């Protein structure tokens, strides 16, 4: 609420940055590739050789190629993905990692691109189609990865290192739900409160320029 000259109008105190960021998506893709290799190894343990893995996210490649052998450092973002790769997907095959520049099809015809670049463009299109298909829909809740033994979930979102904002959002949401239904407030009853997409409200109020309100003078 506005409490004076030029105060910020906010429902929640701080913005939540989406856990489904670009780097996490790229790391998830790399994890899936490694899990496929685990499956191949289970089916045919005698099979060996070299696997070439391509990604257009240099940051994700650096994370995977510099994984420690025993533990993920404290506070490392997306530690759930990296730990799953480190524990279950290491030393199965001789993996070679390559960076491919993204969106090359915007500058060249598809047939002029190298095969690795063509495949990267195809994957980008498939990923974007999935995202566009979720527009206006409730985002599916995050679950436990294959081979992951335990996970902590708050609301519909999975907590990992670096996701403090998610925990802050859900704690504040719970508090606001109780306050707005209090007998002295009676703004929103719990069933009505639950109908509001507070994540969208939260991101809108914090991501767009702040709403400014001047002093309101009441006249009798």
């Amino acid at each position: 609420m506005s409490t004076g000259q030029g105060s910020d109008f906010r429902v929640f105190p701080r913005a939540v940055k989406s856990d489904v960021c670009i780097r996490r998506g790229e790391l998830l893709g790399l994890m899936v590739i490694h899990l496929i290799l685990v499956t191949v190894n289970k089916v045919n343990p005698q099979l060996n050789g070299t696997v070439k893995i391509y990604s257009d996210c240099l940051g994700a490649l650096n994370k995977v190629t510099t994984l420690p052998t025993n533990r993920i450092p404290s506070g490392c973002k997306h530690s759930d993905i990296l730990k799953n790769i480190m524990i279950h997907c290491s030393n199965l095959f001789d993996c070679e990692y390559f960076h491919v520049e993204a969106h090359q099809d915007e500058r060249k015809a598809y047939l002029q691109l190298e095969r690795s670049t063509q495949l990267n463009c195809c994957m980008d299109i498939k990923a974007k189609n999935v995202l566009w298909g979720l527009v206006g829909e409730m985002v599916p809740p995050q679950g436990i990865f294959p081979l992951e033994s335990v996970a902590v979930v708050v609301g519909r979102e999975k907590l990992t290192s670096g996701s403090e904002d998610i925990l802050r959002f859900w704690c504040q949401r719970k508090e606001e739900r109780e306050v707005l239904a209090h007998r002295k407030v009676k703004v929103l009853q719990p069933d009505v409160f639950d109908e509001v997409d507070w994540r969208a409200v939260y991101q809108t109020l914090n991501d767009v320029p702040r709403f400014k309100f001047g002093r309101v003078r009441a006249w009798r």
Side-chain angles (χ1 to χ4, degrees):
M1 298 179 63
S2 176
T3 57
Q5 182 69 35
S7 297
D8 292 343
F9 178 80
R10 313 190 206 182
V11 176
F12 297 100
R14 186 176 173 187
V16 167
K17 300 301 181 182
S18 175
D19 204 41
V20 190
C21 64
I22 295 176
R23 179 169 294 184
R24 184 169 178 83
E26 297 290 348
L27 284 171
L28 284 169
L30 290 174
M31 183 186 71
V32 170
I33 292 173
H34 284 82
L35 290 174
I36 292 173
L37 296 179
V38 171
T39 305
V40 172
N41 182 256
K42 292 289 185 182
V43 174
N44 189 354
Q46 307 304 320
L47 183 66
N48 53 36
T50 300
V51 178
K52 295 183 178 180
I53 299 175
Y54 294 83
S55 173
D56 59 10
C57 183
L58 192 57
L61 285 174
N62 289 336
K63 283 285 188 181
V64 172
T65 55
T66 58
L67 277 178
T69 57
N70 54 352
R71 65 184 297 271
I72 302 298
S74 299
C76 181
K77 290 187 176 181
H78 316 302
S79 58
D80 55 335
I81 301 175
L82 299 175
K83 186 176 181 180
N84 210 28
I85 296 175
M86 181 190 72
I87 294 177
H88 302 291
C89 308
S90 300
N91 303 321
L92 295 178
F93 294 93
D94 182 16
C95 294
E96 297 179 358
Y97 299 88
F98 300 90
H99 177 250
V100 56
E101 187 179 349
H103 309 300
Q104 293 190 45
D105 56 335
E106 296 177 358
R107 301 187 299 273
K108 293 183 180 179
Y110 179 82
L111 294 178
Q112 294 179 324
L113 302 175
E114 295 183 2
R115 183 55 178 164
S116 58
T117 304
Q118 290 178 339
L119 292 173
N120 182 70
C121 293
C122 290
M123 292 301 100
D124 278 346
I125 292 173
K126 289 181 178 294
K128 289 175 182 176
N129 286 339
V130 171
L131 292 176
W132 280 114
L134 291 173
V135 173
E137 301 291 335
M138 180 71 73
V139 177
Q142 300 180 46
I144 297 179
F145 299 142
L147 304 182
E148 189 178 28
S149 57
V150 64
V152 178
V153 177
V154 178
R156 297 170 54 87
E157 299 180 85
K158 186 178 182 184
L159 290 186
T160 66
S161 299
S163 57
E164 297 85 358
D165 281 342
I166 293 175
L167 180 60
R168 185 179 294 109
F169 169 80
W170 285 102
C171 289
Q172 189 67 22
R173 182 186 184 279
K174 179 178 182 297
E175 181 181 348
E176 294 292 338
R177 188 176 187 270
E178 296 171 355
V179 169
L180 294 178
H182 193 274
R183 59 185 177 82
K184 293 184 178 180
V185 180
K186 293 184 180 179
V187 174
L188 288 175
Q189 292 303 309
D191 57 335
V192 180
F193 183 93
D194 294 339
E195 292 295 322
V196 179
D197 186 352
W198 290 111
R199 172 50 65 84
V201 174
Y202 189 42
Q203 289 181 322
T204 300
L205 290 177
N206 286 279
D207 291 348
V208 301
R210 302 296 189 195
F211 294 106
K212 298 290 184 179
F213 293 87
R215 249 180 229 287
V216 178
R217 178 174 295 176
W219 296 88
R220 295 192 175 209

PDB file of all heavy atoms in Angstrom, residues 78-102:
ATOM      1  N   HIS A  78      21.891 -24.263  -9.480  1.00  0.00           N
ATOM      2  CA  HIS A  78      21.494 -25.457 -10.219  1.00  0.00           C
ATOM      3  C   HIS A  78      22.294 -26.683  -9.769  1.00  0.00           C
ATOM      4  O   HIS A  78      22.644 -27.549 -10.566  1.00  0.00           O
ATOM      5  CB  HIS A  78      21.669 -25.238 -11.726  1.00  0.00           C
ATOM      6  CG  HIS A  78      21.169 -23.917 -12.207  1.00  0.00           C
ATOM      7  ND1 HIS A  78      19.859 -23.518 -12.036  1.00  0.00           N
ATOM      8  CD2 HIS A  78      21.802 -22.872 -12.815  1.00  0.00           C
ATOM      9  CE1 HIS A  78      19.700 -22.298 -12.551  1.00  0.00           C
ATOM     10  NE2 HIS A  78      20.860 -21.891 -13.006  1.00  0.00           N
ATOM     11  N   SER A  79      22.554 -26.733  -8.475  1.00  0.00           N
ATOM     12  CA  SER A  79      23.353 -27.828  -7.926  1.00  0.00           C
ATOM     13  C   SER A  79      22.664 -29.179  -8.085  1.00  0.00           C
ATOM     14  O   SER A  79      23.327 -30.209  -8.142  1.00  0.00           O
ATOM     15  CB  SER A  79      23.653 -27.569  -6.446  1.00  0.00           C
ATOM     16  OG  SER A  79      22.449 -27.433  -5.702  1.00  0.00           O
ATOM     17  N   ASP A  80      21.319 -29.182  -8.152  1.00  0.00           N
ATOM     18  CA  ASP A  80      20.615 -30.455  -8.311  1.00  0.00           C
ATOM     19  C   ASP A  80      20.945 -31.107  -9.651  1.00  0.00           C
ATOM     20  O   ASP A  80      21.159 -32.327  -9.730  1.00  0.00           O
ATOM     21  CB  ASP A  80      19.101 -30.253  -8.170  1.00  0.00           C
ATOM     22  CG  ASP A  80      18.551 -29.194  -9.123  1.00  0.00           C
ATOM     23  OD1 ASP A  80      19.326 -28.298  -9.546  1.00  0.00           O
ATOM     24  OD2 ASP A  80      17.350 -29.250  -9.432  1.00  0.00           O
ATOM     25  N   ILE A  81      21.034 -30.297 -10.704  1.00  0.00           N
ATOM     26  CA  ILE A  81      21.380 -30.827 -12.031  1.00  0.00           C
ATOM     27  C   ILE A  81      22.829 -31.299 -12.054  1.00  0.00           C
ATOM     28  O   ILE A  81      23.135 -32.417 -12.490  1.00  0.00           O
ATOM     29  CB  ILE A  81      21.166 -29.753 -13.110  1.00  0.00           C
ATOM     30  CG1 ILE A  81      19.708 -29.290 -13.116  1.00  0.00           C
ATOM     31  CG2 ILE A  81      21.563 -30.281 -14.482  1.00  0.00           C
ATOM     32  CD1 ILE A  81      19.435 -28.137 -14.063  1.00  0.00           C
ATOM     33  N   LEU A  82      23.719 -30.443 -11.554  1.00  0.00           N
ATOM     34  CA  LEU A  82      25.139 -30.760 -11.599  1.00  0.00           C
ATOM     35  C   LEU A  82      25.472 -31.979 -10.739  1.00  0.00           C
ATOM     36  O   LEU A  82      26.285 -32.829 -11.119  1.00  0.00           O
ATOM     37  CB  LEU A  82      25.950 -29.549 -11.134  1.00  0.00           C
ATOM     38  CG  LEU A  82      25.781 -28.279 -11.985  1.00  0.00           C
ATOM     39  CD1 LEU A  82      26.534 -27.113 -11.360  1.00  0.00           C
ATOM     40  CD2 LEU A  82      26.253 -28.530 -13.406  1.00  0.00           C
ATOM     41  N   LYS A  83      24.804 -32.091  -9.584  1.00  0.00           N
ATOM     42  CA  LYS A  83      25.056 -33.231  -8.710  1.00  0.00           C
ATOM     43  C   LYS A  83      24.580 -34.523  -9.354  1.00  0.00           C
ATOM     44  O   LYS A  83      25.234 -35.565  -9.243  1.00  0.00           O
ATOM     45  CB  LYS A  83      24.346 -33.024  -7.369  1.00  0.00           C
ATOM     46  CG  LYS A  83      24.657 -34.093  -6.335  1.00  0.00           C
ATOM     47  CD  LYS A  83      24.000 -33.765  -5.008  1.00  0.00           C
ATOM     48  CE  LYS A  83      24.323 -34.827  -3.959  1.00  0.00           C
ATOM     49  NZ  LYS A  83      23.681 -34.501  -2.652  1.00  0.00           N
ATOM     50  N   ASN A  84      23.457 -34.464 -10.043  1.00  0.00           N
ATOM     51  CA  ASN A  84      22.943 -35.654 -10.711  1.00  0.00           C
ATOM     52  C   ASN A  84      23.905 -36.135 -11.798  1.00  0.00           C
ATOM     53  O   ASN A  84      24.138 -37.340 -11.957  1.00  0.00           O
ATOM     54  CB  ASN A  84      21.573 -35.356 -11.320  1.00  0.00           C
ATOM     55  CG  ASN A  84      20.674 -36.571 -11.375  1.00  0.00           C
ATOM     56  OD1 ASN A  84      20.798 -37.489 -10.567  1.00  0.00           O
ATOM     57  ND2 ASN A  84      19.749 -36.589 -12.318  1.00  0.00           N
ATOM     58  N   ILE A  85      24.461 -35.184 -12.537  1.00  0.00           N
ATOM     59  CA  ILE A  85      25.442 -35.542 -13.566  1.00  0.00           C
ATOM     60  C   ILE A  85      26.707 -36.087 -12.923  1.00  0.00           C
ATOM     61  O   ILE A  85      27.268 -37.105 -13.354  1.00  0.00           O
ATOM     62  CB  ILE A  85      25.771 -34.325 -14.448  1.00  0.00           C
ATOM     63  CG1 ILE A  85      24.527 -33.866 -15.213  1.00  0.00           C
ATOM     64  CG2 ILE A  85      26.898 -34.655 -15.426  1.00  0.00           C
ATOM     65  CD1 ILE A  85      24.728 -32.593 -16.012  1.00  0.00           C
ATOM     66  N   MET A  86      27.176 -35.416 -11.867  1.00  0.00           N
ATOM     67  CA  MET A  86      28.429 -35.809 -11.218  1.00  0.00           C
ATOM     68  C   MET A  86      28.359 -37.217 -10.636  1.00  0.00           C
ATOM     69  O   MET A  86      29.274 -38.026 -10.811  1.00  0.00           O
ATOM     70  CB  MET A  86      28.767 -34.817 -10.104  1.00  0.00           C
ATOM     71  CG  MET A  86      30.067 -35.103  -9.377  1.00  0.00           C
ATOM     72  SD  MET A  86      30.268 -34.080  -7.891  1.00  0.00           S
ATOM     73  CE  MET A  86      29.052 -34.843  -6.791  1.00  0.00           C
ATOM     74  N   ILE A  87      27.247 -37.536  -9.965  1.00  0.00           N
ATOM     75  CA  ILE A  87      27.143 -38.811  -9.257  1.00  0.00           C
ATOM     76  C   ILE A  87      26.844 -39.966 -10.204  1.00  0.00           C
ATOM     77  O   ILE A  87      27.442 -41.047 -10.101  1.00  0.00           O
ATOM     78  CB  ILE A  87      26.051 -38.734  -8.167  1.00  0.00           C
ATOM     79  CG1 ILE A  87      26.465 -37.743  -7.078  1.00  0.00           C
ATOM     80  CG2 ILE A  87      25.786 -40.112  -7.559  1.00  0.00           C
ATOM     81  CD1 ILE A  87      25.422 -37.550  -6.001  1.00  0.00           C
ATOM     82  N   HIS A  88      25.917 -39.747 -11.137  1.00  0.00           N
ATOM     83  CA  HIS A  88      25.393 -40.878 -11.907  1.00  0.00           C
ATOM     84  C   HIS A  88      25.889 -40.955 -13.340  1.00  0.00           C
ATOM     85  O   HIS A  88      25.752 -42.016 -13.972  1.00  0.00           O
ATOM     86  CB  HIS A  88      23.861 -40.822 -11.929  1.00  0.00           C
ATOM     87  CG  HIS A  88      23.236 -40.841 -10.574  1.00  0.00           C
ATOM     88  ND1 HIS A  88      23.256 -41.949  -9.762  1.00  0.00           N
ATOM     89  CD2 HIS A  88      22.565 -39.879  -9.887  1.00  0.00           C
ATOM     90  CE1 HIS A  88      22.620 -41.689  -8.630  1.00  0.00           C
ATOM     91  NE2 HIS A  88      22.201 -40.439  -8.673  1.00  0.00           N
ATOM     92  N   CYS A  89      26.446 -39.890 -13.873  1.00  0.00           N
ATOM     93  CA  CYS A  89      26.682 -39.846 -15.315  1.00  0.00           C
ATOM     94  C   CYS A  89      28.148 -39.659 -15.700  1.00  0.00           C
ATOM     95  O   CYS A  89      28.446 -39.369 -16.860  1.00  0.00           O
ATOM     96  CB  CYS A  89      25.848 -38.725 -15.938  1.00  0.00           C
ATOM     97  SG  CYS A  89      24.097 -38.770 -15.505  1.00  0.00           S
ATOM     98  N   SER A  90      29.041 -39.777 -14.744  1.00  0.00           N
ATOM     99  CA  SER A  90      30.454 -39.539 -15.047  1.00  0.00           C
ATOM    100  C   SER A  90      31.163 -40.836 -15.443  1.00  0.00           C
ATOM    101  O   SER A  90      30.777 -41.930 -15.031  1.00  0.00           O
ATOM    102  CB  SER A  90      31.154 -38.924 -13.827  1.00  0.00           C
ATOM    103  OG  SER A  90      30.552 -37.687 -13.478  1.00  0.00           O
ATOM    104  N   ASN A  91      32.182 -40.707 -16.273  1.00  0.00           N
ATOM    105  CA  ASN A  91      33.086 -41.810 -16.614  1.00  0.00           C
ATOM    106  C   ASN A  91      32.395 -42.976 -17.314  1.00  0.00           C
ATOM    107  O   ASN A  91      32.827 -44.124 -17.205  1.00  0.00           O
ATOM    108  CB  ASN A  91      33.799 -42.322 -15.354  1.00  0.00           C
ATOM    109  CG  ASN A  91      34.569 -41.241 -14.634  1.00  0.00           C
ATOM    110  OD1 ASN A  91      35.200 -40.390 -15.278  1.00  0.00           O
ATOM    111  ND2 ASN A  91      34.514 -41.239 -13.314  1.00  0.00           N
ATOM    112  N   LEU A  92      31.312 -42.695 -18.027  1.00  0.00           N
ATOM    113  CA  LEU A  92      30.651 -43.767 -18.775  1.00  0.00           C
ATOM    114  C   LEU A  92      31.247 -43.882 -20.168  1.00  0.00           C
ATOM    115  O   LEU A  92      31.484 -44.983 -20.660  1.00  0.00           O
ATOM    116  CB  LEU A  92      29.148 -43.480 -18.872  1.00  0.00           C
ATOM    117  CG  LEU A  92      28.379 -43.490 -17.549  1.00  0.00           C
ATOM    118  CD1 LEU A  92      26.915 -43.143 -17.798  1.00  0.00           C
ATOM    119  CD2 LEU A  92      28.482 -44.842 -16.861  1.00  0.00           C
ATOM    120  N   PHE A  93      31.454 -42.743 -20.789  1.00  0.00           N
ATOM    121  CA  PHE A  93      32.024 -42.709 -22.128  1.00  0.00           C
ATOM    122  C   PHE A  93      33.053 -41.580 -22.173  1.00  0.00           C
ATOM    123  O   PHE A  93      33.123 -40.741 -21.279  1.00  0.00           O
ATOM    124  CB  PHE A  93      30.941 -42.460 -23.183  1.00  0.00           C
ATOM    125  CG  PHE A  93      29.933 -43.565 -23.314  1.00  0.00           C
ATOM    126  CD1 PHE A  93      28.756 -43.526 -22.592  1.00  0.00           C
ATOM    127  CD2 PHE A  93      30.175 -44.642 -24.152  1.00  0.00           C
ATOM    128  CE1 PHE A  93      27.816 -44.540 -22.703  1.00  0.00           C
ATOM    129  CE2 PHE A  93      29.242 -45.662 -24.269  1.00  0.00           C
ATOM    130  CZ  PHE A  93      28.061 -45.610 -23.536  1.00  0.00           C
ATOM    131  N   ASP A  94      33.829 -41.580 -23.218  1.00  0.00           N
ATOM    132  CA  ASP A  94      34.756 -40.465 -23.455  1.00  0.00           C
ATOM    133  C   ASP A  94      33.968 -39.362 -24.155  1.00  0.00           C
ATOM    134  O   ASP A  94      33.697 -39.437 -25.353  1.00  0.00           O
ATOM    135  CB  ASP A  94      35.923 -40.937 -24.324  1.00  0.00           C
ATOM    136  CG  ASP A  94      36.927 -39.820 -24.563  1.00  0.00           C
ATOM    137  OD1 ASP A  94      36.869 -38.815 -23.828  1.00  0.00           O
ATOM    138  OD2 ASP A  94      37.751 -39.946 -25.485  1.00  0.00           O
ATOM    139  N   CYS A  95      33.569 -38.352 -23.391  1.00  0.00           N
ATOM    140  CA  CYS A  95      32.723 -37.283 -23.926  1.00  0.00           C
ATOM    141  C   CYS A  95      33.558 -36.084 -24.363  1.00  0.00           C
ATOM    142  O   CYS A  95      34.453 -35.647 -23.639  1.00  0.00           O
ATOM    143  CB  CYS A  95      31.700 -36.843 -22.876  1.00  0.00           C
ATOM    144  SG  CYS A  95      30.477 -38.099 -22.447  1.00  0.00           S
ATOM    145  N   GLU A  96      33.255 -35.580 -25.537  1.00  0.00           N
ATOM    146  CA  GLU A  96      33.872 -34.362 -26.033  1.00  0.00           C
ATOM    147  C   GLU A  96      32.783 -33.301 -26.180  1.00  0.00           C
ATOM    148  O   GLU A  96      31.706 -33.573 -26.721  1.00  0.00           O
ATOM    149  CB  GLU A  96      34.550 -34.610 -27.383  1.00  0.00           C
ATOM    150  CG  GLU A  96      35.694 -35.614 -27.309  1.00  0.00           C
ATOM    151  CD  GLU A  96      36.332 -35.841 -28.672  1.00  0.00           C
ATOM    152  OE1 GLU A  96      35.845 -35.239 -29.670  1.00  0.00           O
ATOM    153  OE2 GLU A  96      37.290 -36.614 -28.756  1.00  0.00           O
ATOM    154  N   TYR A  97      33.068 -32.102 -25.691  1.00  0.00           N
ATOM    155  CA  TYR A  97      32.060 -31.039 -25.656  1.00  0.00           C
ATOM    156  C   TYR A  97      32.446 -29.930 -26.632  1.00  0.00           C
ATOM    157  O   TYR A  97      33.603 -29.504 -26.679  1.00  0.00           O
ATOM    158  CB  TYR A  97      31.927 -30.483 -24.244  1.00  0.00           C
ATOM    159  CG  TYR A  97      31.479 -31.513 -23.231  1.00  0.00           C
ATOM    160  CD1 TYR A  97      32.405 -32.309 -22.566  1.00  0.00           C
ATOM    161  CD2 TYR A  97      30.127 -31.702 -22.962  1.00  0.00           C
ATOM    162  CE1 TYR A  97      32.004 -33.270 -21.643  1.00  0.00           C
ATOM    163  CE2 TYR A  97      29.707 -32.651 -22.034  1.00  0.00           C
ATOM    164  CZ  TYR A  97      30.661 -33.429 -21.382  1.00  0.00           C
ATOM    165  OH  TYR A  97      30.248 -34.375 -20.477  1.00  0.00           O
ATOM    166  N   PHE A  98      31.449 -29.447 -27.384  1.00  0.00           N
ATOM    167  CA  PHE A  98      31.697 -28.432 -28.392  1.00  0.00           C
ATOM    168  C   PHE A  98      30.650 -27.326 -28.265  1.00  0.00           C
ATOM    169  O   PHE A  98      29.472 -27.591 -28.015  1.00  0.00           O
ATOM    170  CB  PHE A  98      31.632 -29.033 -29.803  1.00  0.00           C
ATOM    171  CG  PHE A  98      32.637 -30.121 -30.052  1.00  0.00           C
ATOM    172  CD1 PHE A  98      32.322 -31.443 -29.777  1.00  0.00           C
ATOM    173  CD2 PHE A  98      33.897 -29.812 -30.533  1.00  0.00           C
ATOM    174  CE1 PHE A  98      33.241 -32.446 -30.002  1.00  0.00           C
ATOM    175  CE2 PHE A  98      34.837 -30.807 -30.765  1.00  0.00           C
ATOM    176  CZ  PHE A  98      34.499 -32.134 -30.495  1.00  0.00           C
ATOM    177  N   HIS A  99      31.111 -26.098 -28.450  1.00  0.00           N
ATOM    178  CA  HIS A  99      30.200 -24.955 -28.440  1.00  0.00           C
ATOM    179  C   HIS A  99      29.828 -24.616 -29.873  1.00  0.00           C
ATOM    180  O   HIS A  99      30.686 -24.533 -30.758  1.00  0.00           O
ATOM    181  CB  HIS A  99      30.865 -23.741 -27.787  1.00  0.00           C
ATOM    182  CG  HIS A  99      30.009 -22.518 -27.815  1.00  0.00           C
ATOM    183  ND1 HIS A  99      30.291 -21.416 -28.613  1.00  0.00           N
ATOM    184  CD2 HIS A  99      28.849 -22.218 -27.160  1.00  0.00           C
ATOM    185  CE1 HIS A  99      29.357 -20.502 -28.438  1.00  0.00           C
ATOM    186  NE2 HIS A  99      28.482 -20.950 -27.575  1.00  0.00           N
ATOM    187  N   VAL A 100      28.524 -24.432 -30.104  1.00  0.00           N
ATOM    188  CA  VAL A 100      28.040 -24.031 -31.412  1.00  0.00           C
ATOM    189  C   VAL A 100      27.300 -22.700 -31.252  1.00  0.00           C
ATOM    190  O   VAL A 100      26.516 -22.528 -30.315  1.00  0.00           O
ATOM    191  CB  VAL A 100      27.118 -25.116 -32.024  1.00  0.00           C
ATOM    192  CG1 VAL A 100      25.956 -25.440 -31.104  1.00  0.00           C
ATOM    193  CG2 VAL A 100      26.611 -24.690 -33.390  1.00  0.00           C
ATOM    194  N   GLU A 101      27.566 -21.770 -32.134  1.00  0.00           N
ATOM    195  CA  GLU A 101      26.942 -20.454 -32.048  1.00  0.00           C
ATOM    196  C   GLU A 101      25.448 -20.557 -32.327  1.00  0.00           C
ATOM    197  O   GLU A 101      25.022 -21.258 -33.257  1.00  0.00           O
ATOM    198  CB  GLU A 101      27.596 -19.501 -33.048  1.00  0.00           C
ATOM    199  CG  GLU A 101      27.120 -18.061 -32.916  1.00  0.00           C
ATOM    200  CD  GLU A 101      27.818 -17.149 -33.901  1.00  0.00           C
ATOM    201  OE1 GLU A 101      28.793 -17.588 -34.527  1.00  0.00           O
ATOM    202  OE2 GLU A 101      27.369 -15.984 -34.020  1.00  0.00           O
ATOM    203  N   ALA A 102      24.661 -19.876 -31.519  1.00  0.00           N
ATOM    204  CA  ALA A 102      23.208 -19.968 -31.625  1.00  0.00           C
ATOM    205  C   ALA A 102      22.663 -19.078 -32.742  1.00  0.00           C
ATOM    206  O   ALA A 102      23.308 -18.121 -33.172  1.00  0.00           O
ATOM    207  CB  ALA A 102      22.565 -19.586 -30.297  1.00  0.00           C
TER     208      ALA A 102
END
